C-alpha cells in the first residue's frame, strides 16, 4: 500500500520523506489554510520535496473554470495531481483534463457509484472519505471495499486513495483490503509507528546491554 501524507505542512512532509514512507501528498483548502506561505510557493516546495503525486484542489465550481484553474495548478510542479470534488461540473472537467493528460484525484467520494462515474470520466484516483462516513455511523471502510470490487470488475485504471483517515486501525483495514493508497494525517502516522511493548522491550535491552562485560 502506498502511503500519502495528508498535510500541507512542510516540516511534517520533510519528516515523512526522511522516514522513507512518503509516496505522495494530498492537500485540500483546509490544510493549505493552516500554513503561512503563499499558496503557489507552498505547493512548489511540496512538489520539490516529494518523490510522488501531490494532490492540489481546484476550488472553482463550473467546468470551464475548473479546467482553467487545473491547467494553471498543473504548472506548479510536474507531480501535481488536480483534486476535483465529485460534482456534475467536476465530472465534465475531469473528462477534458484526462484527455489533456492532466491527472485528476476525484475528492469527496461518498458512494461507490460516484467512484465508478469518476473513473469512467478518466480520473486517475478516487478518494473515498472513510472517517467522515464513520462520523455519521456509516461504515467508511465498506465503501472502500465496494469501490475496489467495482473498479476491479471492469478493469478500470483508477487507484483508490483511502482518505479521511482518523487512526491507525483505518490503516490496518485499508491494507487488509489491499487498497492502492492510504492518505494519512501526520499524527496518525506517528501513532502507527509506536507500540508500548516496543518501548518497554528497548528499555530492557538497553538496561541489560549496560551490564555486558567488554574487553
Ligand atoms: C483527502 O484527500 C482529504 O484531504 C482528507 O483525507 C480529508 O480528511 P478529513 O475528513 O480529516 O478532513
Amino acid at each position: 500500500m502506498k502511503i500519502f501524507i495528508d498535510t500541507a505542512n512542510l516540516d511534517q512532509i520533510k519528516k515523512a520523506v526522511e522516514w522513507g514512507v512518503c509516496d505522495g501528498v494530498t492537500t485540500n483548502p483546509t490544510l493549505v489554510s493552516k500554513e503561512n506561505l503563499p499558496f503557489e510557493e507552498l505547493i512548489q516546495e511540496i512538489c520539490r520535496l516529494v518523490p510522488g503525486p501531490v494532490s492540489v484542489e481546484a476550488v472553482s465550481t463550473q467546468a470551464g473554470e475548473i479546467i482553467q484553474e487545473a491547467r494553471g495548478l498543473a504548472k506548479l510542479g510536474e507531480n501535481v495531481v488536480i483534486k476535483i470534488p465529485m460534482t456534475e461540473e467536476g465530472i465534465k472537467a475531469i473528462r477534458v483534463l484526462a484527455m489533456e493528460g492532466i491527472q485528476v484525484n476525484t475528492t469527496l467520494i461518498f458512494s461507490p457509484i460516484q467512484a465508478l462515474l469518476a473513473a469512467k470520466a478518466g480520473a486517475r484516483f478516487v478518494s473515498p472519505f472513510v472517517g467522515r462516513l464513520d462520523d455519521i455511523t456509516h461504515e467508511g471502510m465498506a465503501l472502500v471495499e465496494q469501490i475496489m470490487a467495482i473498479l476491479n470488475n471492469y478493469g478500470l485504471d483508477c487507484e483508490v486513495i483511502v482518505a479521511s483517515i482518523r487512526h491507525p486501525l483505518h490503516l490496518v483495514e485499508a491494507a487488509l483490503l489491499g487498497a492502492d493508497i492510504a492518505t494519512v494525517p501526520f499524527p496518525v502516522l506517528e501513532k502507527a509507528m509506536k507500540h508500548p511493548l516496543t518501548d518497554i522491550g528497548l528499555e530492557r535491552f538497553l538496561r541489560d546491554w549496560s551490564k555486558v562485560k567488554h574487553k
Side-chain angles (χ1 to χ4, degrees):
M1 184 168 70
K2 282 175 270 186
I3 305 266
F4 288 4
I5 314 300
D6 198 25
T7 185
N9 183 275
L10 293 176
D11 290 335
Q12 294 182 347
I13 293 169
K14 277 179 203 157
K15 276 191 197 162
V17 170
E18 260 174 31
W19 294 344
V21 296
C22 177
D23 299 305
V25 160
T26 52
T27 68
N28 64 38
T30 307
L31 294 171
V32 162
S33 73
K34 294 179 187 162
E35 305 305 317
N36 280 324
L37 281 181
F39 172 70
E40 291 75 10
E41 213 177 296
L42 180 65
I43 299 302
Q44 281 170 328
E45 185 57 13
I46 295 175
C47 288
R48 207 183 53 76
L49 289 172
V50 175
V54 174
S55 286
V56 184
E57 191 152 336
V59 293
S60 305
T61 53
Q62 297 305 301
E65 290 160 22
I66 297 172
I67 293 164
Q68 289 306 326
E69 188 185 350
R71 287 177 183 147
L73 291 173
K75 292 196 180 100
L76 293 174
E78 277 183 4
N79 44 348
V80 164
V81 169
I82 311 300
K83 238 185 184 183
I84 297 183
M86 178 60 206
T87 62
E88 192 181 318
E89 293 296 309
I91 280 278
K92 285 195 263 179
I94 291 169
R95 185 176 167 71
V96 174
L97 293 168
M99 285 189 301
E100 290 179 12
I102 294 179
Q103 295 200 329
V104 172
N105 168 5
T106 311
T107 190
L108 292 168
I109 294 277
F110 291 99
S111 87
I113 289 302
Q114 286 183 316
L116 175 63
L117 295 174
K120 278 178 74 74
R124 181 75 196 86
F125 305 96
V126 283
S127 291
F129 276 36
V130 296
R132 292 193 197 185
L133 280 171
D134 288 357
D135 288 346
I136 57 161
T137 61
H138 278 253
E139 212 181 312
M141 216 45 82
L143 170 62
V144 173
E145 194 169 6
Q146 289 178 330
I147 293 173
M148 287 175 58
I150 289 170
L151 296 183
N152 189 44
N153 281 348
Y154 301 105
L156 288 160
D157 188 20
C158 175
E159 289 185 273
V160 177
I161 304 181
V162 181
S164 186
I165 281 185
R166 299 268 195 267
H167 45 68
L169 192 53
H170 275 151
L171 272 178
V172 175
E173 290 165 344
L176 283 171
L177 283 177
D180 301 293
I181 302 154
T183 190
V184 194
F186 188 76
V188 174
L189 192 62
E190 282 184 312
K191 273 190 207 159
M193 202 181 301
K194 293 195 167 92
H195 195 289
L197 287 179
T198 306
D199 297 341
I200 292 168
L202 177 61
E203 200 185 312
R204 192 177 301 159
F205 281 151
L206 291 178
R207 198 176 51 237
D208 292 343
W209 177 250
S210 71
K211 296 177 204 155
V212 172
K213 298 182 181 43
H214 299 276
K215 307 195 267 186

